[in-house]
Amino acid sequence: MRARAERLTELLADAELDALLVTDPVNVRYLTGFSGSNGVVVVGPRTRAFLTDFRYVEQAAAEVHASFDRRRAARDLLDAVADVLAPGEIRLGFEDTRMSVREHARLRRLLPARVELVAASGLVERLRAIKEPEEIEAIHAAAKLADAACERLLRDGLVGRTEREVAVALEHDMRERGAENASFDTIIAAGPHGALPHARPRNVPIRRGELVVIDWGARLDGYCSDCTRTVAAGPVDEAAQRIYEIVLAAQLAGLESVRAGQTGKAADAVARDAIGAAGHGEEFGHGLGHGVGIDVHEAPRLSQRSDDTLSAGNVVTVEPGIYVPGRLGVRIEDLVVVTADGCEILTGMSKRLMVVD
Ligand code: ZN
Ligand code: ZN
């Protein structure tokens, strides 16, 4: 934790900031260990302050790293920010993607005139994108837990159960295995419903002959996993099998292209070109992947619009899909750690088209 705040201080110097006010709860947790919902942090070369209100004083004493000066403040924590700034701290960065216009105006009123507020989102996110070995272990453990739950689910079969029943069973099993919760709302989408990349499970039974998109993850020790498999509920027709094979080939090509130094844009293009060459370019409407950590969607991004370059220690998904409106969807997603010359896959379930009853 101390090392994280120190690395952040180095980034502050590059950004010509004297200190950073951190209000994003995930960033607060990353820097301090605090998992409550009302905490803010101020970090500068001479400042390591953590503020919370009376409800969280005990939790903060247990969780917040001792290198931080832990202070109790009024429930509106911004009131106390001026008190923790050191005299020379003039340029104060704040997380503009995480502060309302109203909060910003209030903060401006509360701070001395000498302090300059500078929009500076994304600094802690840059640190978070490169995982420490213990973080990778936690994500791997979450992925293994999620794999075990899904394998169990498929042994119980899919045909005749509703999407919602299946989603609830999977989430319940992950919690029984020790997960804090599902890392996001489980997607179970059968047949034509699979053509919606963010489909919500319906009270509709899965029918024999449908492809079923299963996108799920577990949160364990604060870290998320994310994986998708598309399985066949009983035998599916040849057209569906063909589309499955195209997505699988694109996914393998995407995995092959992931390594440190590769751009998010180029990795996306490898999978996108494979799908385009097979005549389905218009039916792959989202990016190839995203970073995963404490948040299930974080930096870096693998997409046509990404400006990110992959680094060793990034944990990212590779998840191409083909969505044919009114007919079916196929998505195959793995979670990987980027290494100097490739990647290591953390999600272990088979990617051959599984037929389950
Ligand atoms: Zn997913
Ligand atoms: Zn994903």
Side-chain angles (χ1 to χ4, degrees):
M1 297 277 168
R2 184 194 295 277
R4 292 175 183 176
E6 269 157 26
R7 288 203 302 275
L8 178 59
T9 309
E10 287 162 22
L11 292 184
L12 294 184
D14 296 344
E16 297 178 337
L17 295 172
D18 297 316
L20 181 69
L21 169 64
V22 181
T23 51
D24 178 308
V26 175
N27 289 342
V28 168
R29 182 170 184 171
Y30 178 79
L31 290 171
T32 66
F34 179 68
S35 64
S37 61
N38 197 32
V40 306
V41 164
V42 180
V43 170
R46 280 152 300 158
T47 308
R48 296 274 191 284
F50 171 83
L51 304 168
T52 191
D53 70 71
F54 75 97
R55 294 170 299 164
Y56 293 107
V57 168
E58 280 191 43
Q59 187 177 346
E63 290 182 344
V64 173
H65 192 265
S67 57
F68 284 86
D69 172 15
R70 288 166 279 196
R71 296 207 194 179
R72 175 177 158 175
R75 187 167 311 200
D76 195 330
L77 304 177
L78 296 181
D79 288 5
V81 170
D83 302 338
V84 300
L85 286 178
E89 291 174 343
I90 307 289
R91 281 176 60 82
L92 175 64
F94 70 98
E95 298 182 300
D96 53 311
T97 56
R98 268 290 172 174
M99 186 171 285
S100 69
V101 174
R102 179 193 292 254
E103 285 168 330
H104 181 270
R106 223 172 94 69
L107 185 62
R108 181 61 278 171
R109 275 201 308 278
L110 290 164
L111 291 172
R114 68 178 165 84
V115 175
E116 190 186 333
L117 278 172
V118 182
S121 278
L123 293 174
V124 184
E125 285 82 350
R126 261 161 68 189
L127 297 180
R128 276 168 46 198
I130 301 193
K131 269 67 183 179
E132 297 157 8
E134 305 78 59
E135 294 184 284
I136 293 170
E137 267 172 45
I139 296 168
H140 197 182
K144 282 185 182 162
L145 184 153
D147 280 352
C150 190
E151 275 161 5
R152 159 79 204 274
L153 178 87
L154 296 182
R155 279 200 297 277
D156 291 345
L158 295 174
V159 176
R161 300 166 80 186
T162 70
E163 292 176 349
R164 195 166 177 284
E165 277 165 22
V166 170
V168 168
L170 184 54
E171 292 184 357
H172 181 78
D173 191 18
M174 289 195 290
R175 292 185 80 133
E176 274 194 342
R177 289 170 195 269
E180 288 160 48
N181 48 30
S183 53
F184 55 92
D185 288 342
T186 301
I187 295 171
I188 305 288
H193 196 216
L196 280 60
H198 290 156
R200 304 188 59 165
R202 305 165 300 175
N203 285 313
V204 172
I206 296 166
R207 294 187 303 185
R208 186 175 301 280
E210 287 182 326
L211 284 176
V212 184
V213 177
I214 304 174
D215 189 350
W216 82 108
R219 189 190 308 271
L220 185 62
D221 295 330
Y223 283 84
C224 298
S225 74
D226 186 7
C227 181
T228 306
R229 290 293 180 264
T230 301
V231 304
V236 294
D237 63 30
E238 247 172 67
Q241 291 176 40
R242 211 164 34 239
I243 288 174
Y244 186 91
E245 294 307 324
I246 294 166
V247 174
L248 179 55
Q251 205 258 352
L252 295 173
L255 286 174
E256 192 68 36
S257 79
V258 167
R259 64 179 175 285
Q262 171 73 301
T263 65
K265 199 177 272 178
D268 178 277
V270 168
R272 197 166 298 282
D273 290 351
I275 287 175
H280 292 274
E282 298 296 306
E283 293 156 1
F284 174 24
H286 56 74
L288 180 64
H290 54 86
V292 173
I294 302 175
D295 254 348
V296 75
H297 292 106
E298 56 180 57
R301 305 273 162 181
L302 287 69
S303 81
Q304 289 171 294
R305 285 175 298 280
S306 173
D307 295 320
D308 298 332
T309 298
L310 299 178
S311 301
N314 287 155
V315 172
V316 298
T317 67
V318 176
E319 51 177 308
I322 292 178
Y323 307 93
V324 187
R327 283 197 50 217
L328 58 81
V330 173
R331 178 166 65 257
I332 302 172
E333 172 179 30
D334 278 318
L335 188 57
V336 308
V337 187
V338 179
T339 63
D341 49 8
C343 67
E344 287 164 22
I345 301 178
L346 302 177
T347 38
M349 281 183 70
S350 167
K351 288 186 284 192
R352 277 184 314 178
L353 181 58
M354 285 174 276
V355 182
V356 297
D357 272 319

